[in-house]
Structure formats: structure tokens, C-alpha cells
Amino acid sequence: LENELLYGVPFEMSEQAQSKEFVIPIGKAKIERQGTHVTLVAHSRPVGHCIEAAAVLSKEGVECEVINLRTIRPMDIETVEASVVKTNRLVTVEGGWPQFGVGAEICARIMEGPAFNYLDAPAVRVTGADVPMPYAKILEDNCIPQVKDIVFAVKKALNI
């Protein structure tokens, strides 16, 4: 699934990505930004919010590793695990409801896998509000995760 709100968002493309032979492997996440303090994992539109939040937090001395899942089935949990082993903290971000979400699945897989022993704090999920999506723009903005929500969650995970 793709988020139609991304259709009007401009972004840079490398020469390689514009090649006719360029292929993105299915099931392989991309590390959008390297970091050492906390792992931010997202897919679709929230990836951009995570990159913006990482830029804000970088000014405060917090370096976030941002992982773009790109696909959720298959899910590249190995890349997420390797990042959590490196940063010792995990924050998942998604626009959907908290119950049965992608973030819940990521947290479960980290808890059940070898990376759990490397966590120095509980994983934090940033999700949409558990309400029907409102039509009014101001209410919609308050129902889906924003950059400020991600910054707050990272600070919570780091206890700062």
C-alpha cells in the first residue's frame, strides 16, 4: 500500500535510482540515516517525519538511526535487530492505530529475538490515535504522528 499524501511531496533521486536497471529488493529495509543513540523504524509517510525528527534531535546531540522498512511483508527484521544492538533503544512510528499495528509486530519480534538483551529501555511506539480518522485537517493532524511526537518519544526512550 502507498500513502497518497506522498504524491505531492518532492524528494531527491540519485542517478542510480533513475537508471532503467535500478531495482529495489523486496523485503530489504534501507537505513536512511546512521545514528548511535536510538533506532527509529517506520514505513511510508512517517519515514519523512522520522528524518525530520532526527534532524531536530541532532541539534540537541542525539543521533538517531532511521530505518525505512520499505516493505512490511516480508519484513526485514534483521536490519532492525542489528540497529537495536548498536543503539540499544527502539522507537517505532506508524500512522495506523496502535492495536495490531506494524510497530506492535516489530516490538514483539525484537522482544522474542536476540536483540532484546541489548535494549537499555522499553521500546516506544508512536502511532495514530485510536479514533476514526476525522475529516477536518486540524483534527487529522492531531490524530496522526507528527515530528514533535517522535521527538517526545525519543526523549522518553533516552530518559531526557
Side-chain angles (χ1 to χ4, degrees):
L1 298 173
E2 58 189 16
N3 191 317
E4 66 274 359
L5 295 176
L6 288 175
Y7 291 167
V9 177
F11 55 92
E12 293 182 25
M13 288 187 62
S14 68
E15 293 279 334
Q16 180 187 15
Q18 295 181 44
S19 163
K20 289 182 181 182
E21 290 80 36
F22 182 72
V23 176
I24 295 175
I26 298 293
K28 184 67 181 143
K30 179 182 179 188
I31 299 175
E32 298 282 352
R33 180 184 174 117
Q34 295 285 336
T36 56
H37 295 114
V38 64
T39 299
L40 294 174
V41 183
H43 68 284
S44 190
R45 187 171 180 227
V47 173
H49 293 333
C50 287
I51 292 170
E52 289 180 44
V56 169
L57 288 159
S58 180
K59 293 175 184 170
E60 298 179 29
V62 176
E63 293 303 324
C64 302
E65 183 146 296
V66 179
I67 298 177
N68 179 355
L69 286 176
R70 298 199 287 202
T71 61
I72 56 175
R73 187 175 171 115
M75 184 183 294
D76 183 5
I77 200 65
E78 293 81 15
T79 298
V80 177
E81 285 175 338
S83 181
V84 168
V85 166
K86 181 171 89 172
T87 67
N88 307 114
R89 304 253 190 306
L90 173 64
V91 174
T92 66
V93 184
E94 65 181 306
W97 295 317
Q99 191 167 345
F100 312 115
V102 175
E105 179 66 19
I106 293 167
C107 291
R109 290 198 190 182
I110 292 299
M111 183 194 71
E112 294 168 350
F116 176 74
N117 294 322
Y118 291 87
L119 284 175
D120 288 340
V124 178
R125 292 186 297 153
V126 180
T127 67
D130 199 2
V131 298
M133 183 59 72
Y135 182 75
K137 174 88 170 107
I138 188 78
L139 294 176
E140 180 181 322
D141 288 345
N142 284 301
C143 286
I144 56 176
Q146 303 296 322
V147 172
K148 64 180 176 51
D149 302 316
I150 300 167
V151 169
F152 179 81
V154 168
K155 289 181 176 183
K156 177 180 175 184
L158 291 169
N159 200 27
I160 55 174

